[in-house]
Amino acid sequence: MSKIKAENVNVYYGSKQALFDVSIDIAEKEVTALIGPSGCGKSTFLRCLNRMNDVIDICRVEGSIKMDNLELNSRKLDVVRLRENVGMVFQKPNPFPKTIYENVAYGPTIHGIAQSKEEMDQIVEISLKKAALWNEVKDRLDEIGTGLSGGQQQRLCIARAISVSPEVILMDEPCSALDPIATAQIEELIDDLKKEVTIVIVTHSMSQAARVSQKTGFFHLGKLIEFGPTDKIFKNPDNQQTQDYITGRFG
Amino acid sequence: MNSFKKNLLKKRYNAERRFQWYGKIAIGLALSFLAVFMFQIFSKGYSAFQKTWIVTEVHYDKELLLIDAESPSKDDLENADYYDVAYKAMTSLDPGLPEEEDRQLIQMVSYKYEAEVKDLLLKNPDYLGKIVPIKLTASDDVDQVHKGNYPRDIPEENRRVNDYQLQIYDMLNERGDILSEFNISFFTSPDSREAELAGIASSFMGTVFSILVCLAFSFPIAVLAAIYLEEFAPKNKFTDFIEVNINNLAAVPSIVFGLLGLGVLLAVFNLPRSTPLVGGITLSLMTLPTIIIAARASLKAVPPSIREAALAMGASNMQTTMHHTVPLSMPGTLSGTIIGLAQALGETAPLILIGMVAFVNTIPGTPVDPAASLPVQIYIWSESAERGFVEKVSACIMVLLAFLILMNLAAQIVRHKFEKKWS
């Protein structure tokens, strides 16, 4: 089933066009990987899905992006509500310089999800457990989140993202700043999370895309060159450019 | 290695050595200027923290005090006539002196000596009818002689202390009746025309009130302006224009702000002249751009990743700013504020224009009482001819410097203690 349906999405930074007629169907409760060389527009596309491009003054998005028939690319859309449903994990771990507890509790607090302290404690515990971080931090929830190791910080950010039970989580190269062990932990986590959440992940690592995703989209120069089941993209792509990229002939 | 390469290498090392020497010389020069400056101030000013007293005896004679009552009340003591008693206390130092010459003795103590005689009795009513020792503030001339700041070998007609007074001084000094104690009154008395009585209490309080008023006006306005400009305002020609103007404002000479205070605050709004309220508002005009620039810089220094994190969690712009960006920028903003206030602290010109240069011999209790300020006090005293004020100027500079150092220290502490470390 399709969760997000993008049609003819064009993105401009001032007069420079960054995305050209991107159309893509993102399936529910699957992991969709977006790959491609640097500057190909995959992060730009990802940021259309939770309207993070709004932050950039000169950025203009055209086309239609529908999530469960809700038009995302509309002035009338309440971005605060959208972002409650579409969480995001960034390239560099960016926990708030507050305690671990406050990091996870922030989303539920501003969205009024927890009614009581007990409920909040529970949300924090469940989120940290889902992010496979609970056992490591349960005795030091009042320590500053930025004091954790890189991998732990990234899992804290994932816990923060899932604390508001979003339907979609966007991940923008979540492992690029992490070592192989932390990367493996995050990948395992992605595998667990997809039972409940739709995940879109931008990655530079093709092996990671192959490991974690069910569908893969290949971007090049702002165009979606090929999109399909991960197996097919990696074993038998239709397009010569895709073939060249995944075999490492360019990129 | 050929000789050309060797030469080149040698030149490179020599150039570096030379450069390091230039740097060391520059630092040495700067430090020696500072040392000379400090030495000047301390060597001239330290004696102002000592006060000279003349000890004599006073006879609280009921008849001379014109007290009739058997057991006089507080009011009786308050209203008694101390003129004769005080006069006798001084003239008793040299009973042989003819009456027409007695001014020479009276001149050796401050003109307030009668009040000092009165105060002692009011504090100790049982002294009535007794002969007790009393400390009287020495006149600034005797004070300077005692501190060795006054040359004794110039001809008598050019000296403010004549031979007879020196003789009395030497006699008292030999008896141990000239006391030198820590000058508390320098900190507790207001300004005075008499150097021996002048203190910094009024100007210190004036400075404190001015700085508080300045903080109360400039901090909220500057922080709100900075937050709006940095986090909410659209980036266009108009906001660029505002930014340029704020930067220009920081470079406007302070006397211009003084004129503005005079023309607008005093002339149009009729605020009370010579008060810390007007002084503080005028200073806040100066401090405003400094704080805005510091606050904007520290808002800019908050990593964008924190804003993105909050926005991606569904926080509104306002929540992102108030929950994350502003708290994280506060250490920088506060230390910028303190530095801005420290600048305002040393400002003289605008305060002179709005009338805070007036002679104030009361200690202000509120920001709407007339007051001076420390830098203006320095200016006022430096205009006075009496030798006693020379050391007071230096002492006042020392107090101002101590104030400044404390504030800069506070800025450093705020910056280091509360600044968050980024991962």
Side-chain angles (χ1 to χ4, degrees), chain B residues 47 50 52 54 107-108 138-154 159-173 178-180 196 387-388 391:
Chain B
S47 55
Q50 295 284 318
T52 309
I54 291 180
Q107 274 170 356
M108 291 183 68
S139 74
D140 67 324
D141 296 326
V142 174
D143 181 47
Q144 292 304 309
V145 168
H146 187 61
K147 285 170 180 168
N149 293 343
Y150 206 101
R152 298 176 62 147
D153 46 9
I154 48 178
R159 236 186 294 137
R160 286 170 60 95
V161 189
N162 63 28
D163 285 346
Y164 171 74
Q165 287 170 326
L166 279 179
Q167 196 188 321
I168 297 287
Y169 162 78
D170 287 338
M171 176 197 82
L172 287 171
N173 203 14
I178 303 279
L179 293 181
S180 201
E196 70 274 18
R387 220 159 244 280
E391 60 173 20

Side-chain angles (χ1 to χ4, degrees), chain B residues 198-257:
Chain B
I200 56 167
S202 58
S203 46
F204 186 85
M205 287 315 288
T207 287
V208 169
F209 283 132
S210 301
I211 292 298
L212 288 179
V213 169
C214 176
L215 178 68
F217 274 87
S218 56
F219 185 73
I221 298 175
V223 169
L224 285 176
I227 292 174
Y228 179 74
L229 282 175
E230 199 58 42
E231 302 291 326
F232 295 97
K235 304 271 173 286
N236 56 27
K237 285 248 165 68
F238 184 64
T239 46
D240 282 350
F241 177 72
I242 291 178
E243 180 163 358
V244 169
N245 275 293
I246 289 172
N247 292 338
N248 281 341
L249 211 57
V252 170
S254 57
I255 196 153
V256 176
F257 291 112

Side-chain angles (χ1 to χ4, degrees), chain A residues 47 80 83 94 106 111 160, chain B residues 305 308 311 313-314 323-324:
Chain A
R47 291 164 68 97
V80 167
R83 289 171 188 161
N94 57 355
Y106 185 67
H111 295 299
R160 182 175 68 189
Chain B
S305 65
E308 284 194 326
L311 288 173
M313 281 313 295
H323 295 167
H324 300 284

